[in-house]
Amino acid sequence: MELNYDALTAMRTSFNLKFKHAIESAETIYRDLAMIEGDPKHTAMEIPFLEAFAGMREWLGARQIKNLSTKKIRVVEKPWEDTVSIPVRDVESDNWNIYGTLISAMGEAGEQLWDRLFTEALVNPPKWIDGKAFYCDNRKYGASVISNVTTNALTHANFGAFFTQMQSFATHAGEPMNSRPTHLIVGPALEDAAREILYSDTITTDGVETANPHKDKVKLVVNPRLIGANANYWFLGRFQGSLRPILVLKNKDAT
């Protein structure tokens, strides 16, 4: 094949289609669980946060204006790349189609980058706006103390205890925070235990079989990236609604 504009354009078009199709068909978890923000015009974003959110109140007298400017979360874009070269001779001999599978794999990896970043933020998040670690057992919130961390293993009893605990979280005004968990995220090592908790019809305690009170309480997500040192980590959270535990700054798709 002669290395002219038309020939190289045909190759580029073919590769772009394979790459785009791989992105669209890639299996990910971040699309369903994360807040996704960002646009190509900005490299960073600041998110104002209501540290003392109390919700709606009856409107009596003057408005009570909440200050959005005191606490902000700043998320900064990072560049990512993955580059391969195709030998000129394979292009000249019209064998460039053999690289189509490789191009598709690169597209899939480009989309799964967001799952990687999602998991990194889930396992090792930065400090929260109050200067404390995101996961801690002594966060003051109004008159309440909130704990969102445990070293306990994933068991039927521990799942139930923390499911109930999360629903007891309240705002500064003492109103329910609406923090009922929606998802349980585990790695492959805990998949069987999680399925038994969420999908078994019955449980047996001291030889007595009863109905499983936790059946279908939340959705199960098996994250293949929770392996190695993170294999026994489990995350119970509210991963739906306008405010979610993880935000992904996605200014551009891979190309």
Side-chain angles (χ1 to χ4, degrees), residues 153-214:
L154 177 61
T155 65
H156 195 276
N158 289 337
F159 172 87
F162 282 93
F163 189 94
T164 301
Q165 178 177 310
M166 281 190 64
Q167 293 186 94
S168 69
F169 295 163
T171 67
H172 279 66
E175 288 293 314
M177 199 181 288
N178 190 26
S179 53
R180 180 183 175 89
T182 59
H183 293 77
L184 174 64
I185 304 176
V186 301
L190 295 181
E191 180 177 359
D192 290 348
R195 288 188 178 279
E196 186 173 349
I197 292 170
L198 295 177
Y199 300 144
S200 294
D201 292 324
T202 61
I203 60 171
T204 302
T205 306
D206 298 328
V208 178
E209 188 176 76
T210 57
N212 179 10
H214 304 316

Side-chain angles (χ1 to χ4, degrees), residues 91-152:
V91 180
E92 291 177 333
S93 59
D94 210 15
N95 283 327
W96 53 266
N97 276 312
I98 64 175
Y99 294 96
T101 300
L102 173 61
I103 297 299
S104 294
M106 291 178 67
E108 186 175 7
E111 182 64 7
Q112 289 176 345
L113 166 67
W114 307 109
D115 271 7
R116 172 182 163 187
L117 299 177
F118 174 92
T119 304
E120 288 178 1
L122 188 68
V123 171
N124 189 29
K127 290 183 178 180
W128 188 233
I129 56 173
D130 57 6
K132 290 179 176 288
F134 185 82
Y135 298 123
C136 73
D137 59 5
N138 60 353
R139 174 162 285 113
K140 285 286 292 180
Y141 194 75
S144 304
V145 176
I146 290 181
S147 171
N148 66 343
V149 64
T150 180
T151 57
N152 294 340

